[in-house]
């Protein structure tokens, strides 16, 4: 009987964004330009921040916040704005979204009108929210990529099984045999390889990568 069920060992996962994104918000002629990026170290976060500062030499403020998985590192700065009106609200956007390994920098060009404490909190919050809304959010997990080469006669059965199990298919190549690239959580790799072997009566050729944190469709 085909192995339609297998034991799942859940591994740690986290949400982050791919690449960079930005959004602009205006309030009483002040421009708030939110820019976000995926970063994995403080060096990367500082490099991103310094790049924005260099690109906006006339800006009044470059408020930032970031949260990294490495060392559970969290940092934020009001960069001259009144205390807790900008950096902390930016960090709260990150934490409310459950994101890790991200930085948000909001550049403000002053428009001549003071916004007050509440107005600043709302403006910086919206700038960060809009920037993250423009980003592509992904879930990263410790994964193994598996390449399965199967005979054409067995491909449809394998395809249906993978779909039933919700396994992420990265690509399919139709050559001498059908080569299917899939991505699974590291804790599920052995069971899925065993299931494919049983499903194909041992005819599938399987090649698995080393475990690594990769974006995973969940």
């Amino acid at each position: 009987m085909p192995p339609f069920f297998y034991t799942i060992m859940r591994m740690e996962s986290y949400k982050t964004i791919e690449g960079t994104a930005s959004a602009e918000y205006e309030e009483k002629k002040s421009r708030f330009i939110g820019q976000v990026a995926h970063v994995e170290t403080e060096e990367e976060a500082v490099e991103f921040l310094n790049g924005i500062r260099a690109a906006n030499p006339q800006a009044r403020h470059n408020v930032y916040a970031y949260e990294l998985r490495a060392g559970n590192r969290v940092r934020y700065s009001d960069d001259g704005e009144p205390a807790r009106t900008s950096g902390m609200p930016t960090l709260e956007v990150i934490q409310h979204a459950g994101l890790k390994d991200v930085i948000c920098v909001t550049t403000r060009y002053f428009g001549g009108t003071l916004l007050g404490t509440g107005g600043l909190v709302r403006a910086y919050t919206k700038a960060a929210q809009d920037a993250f809304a423009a980003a592509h959010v992904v879930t990263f997990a410790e994964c193994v990529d598996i390449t399965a080469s199967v005979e054409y006669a067995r491909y449809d059965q394998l395809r249906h099984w993978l779909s039933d199990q919700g396994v992420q298919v990265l690509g399919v190549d139709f050559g001498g045999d059908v080569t299917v690239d899939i991505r699974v959580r590291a804790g599920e790799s052995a069971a899925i390889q065993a299931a494919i072997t049983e499903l194909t009566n041992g005819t599938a050729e399987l090649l698995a990568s080393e475990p690594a944190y990769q974006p995973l469709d969940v």
Side-chain angles (χ1 to χ4, degrees):
M1 177 179 295
F4 290 109
F5 301 98
Y6 53 84
T7 301
I8 296 176
M9 297 174 59
R10 289 298 180 192
M11 309 294 286
E12 177 189 4
S13 61
Y14 64 97
K15 289 196 303 180
T16 186
I17 65 170
E18 286 187 327
T20 62
S22 64
E24 185 170 335
Y25 170 69
E26 185 171 321
E27 179 68 23
K28 295 182 179 178
K29 296 185 179 181
S30 279
R31 292 172 59 211
F32 295 84
I33 306 168
Q35 299 187 66
V36 296
H38 174 80
V39 293
E40 297 183 1
T41 66
E42 281 199 290
E43 290 77 12
E44 291 178 358
V46 171
E47 181 180 2
F48 182 73
L49 171 62
N50 287 340
I52 291 175
R53 284 173 169 164
N56 297 275
Q58 303 303 316
R60 179 73 65 91
H61 309 281
N62 286 287
V63 167
Y64 70 86
Y66 60 82
E67 182 157 347
L68 306 175
R69 293 176 62 249
N72 294 316
R73 186 74 67 182
V74 176
R75 292 286 185 272
Y76 66 90
S77 171
D78 296 307
D79 195 33
E81 294 282 27
R84 302 180 70 84
T85 62
S86 51
M88 177 59 77
T90 301
L91 179 62
E92 289 175 347
V93 171
I94 293 173
Q95 295 179 332
H96 181 73
L99 298 172
K100 303 287 186 180
D101 285 352
V102 295
I103 182 172
C104 176
V105 182
T106 298
T107 300
R108 182 188 182 188
Y109 285 90
F110 184 56
T113 301
L114 297 176
L115 301 183
T117 299
L120 287 173
V121 171
R122 289 189 294 272
Y124 279 102
T125 296
K126 179 169 175 53
Q129 289 173 335
D130 288 353
F132 280 114
H136 181 208
V137 177
V138 294
T139 296
F140 269 63
E142 189 177 30
C143 297
V144 169
D145 289 349
I146 300 171
T147 297
S149 295
V150 299
E151 301 167 344
Y152 275 80
R154 299 185 184 275
Y155 169 62
D156 279 344
Q157 187 179 17
L158 175 61
R159 177 172 60 85
H160 287 302
W161 185 81
L162 293 172
S163 178
D164 289 342
Q165 298 300 322
V167 174
Q168 180 179 352
V169 177
L170 302 175
V172 181
D173 180 68
F174 297 93
D177 288 325
V178 182
T179 302
V180 183
D181 294 316
I182 63 175
R183 176 167 293 164
V184 301
R185 292 177 184 268
E188 303 172 16
S189 174
I192 289 180
Q193 290 184 71
I196 293 173
T197 297
E198 183 179 345
L199 185 70
T200 61
N201 292 327
T203 61
E205 294 185 8
L206 301 175
L207 180 64
S209 70
E210 291 296 320
Y213 273 89
Q214 301 283 353
L216 178 69
D217 286 344
V218 295

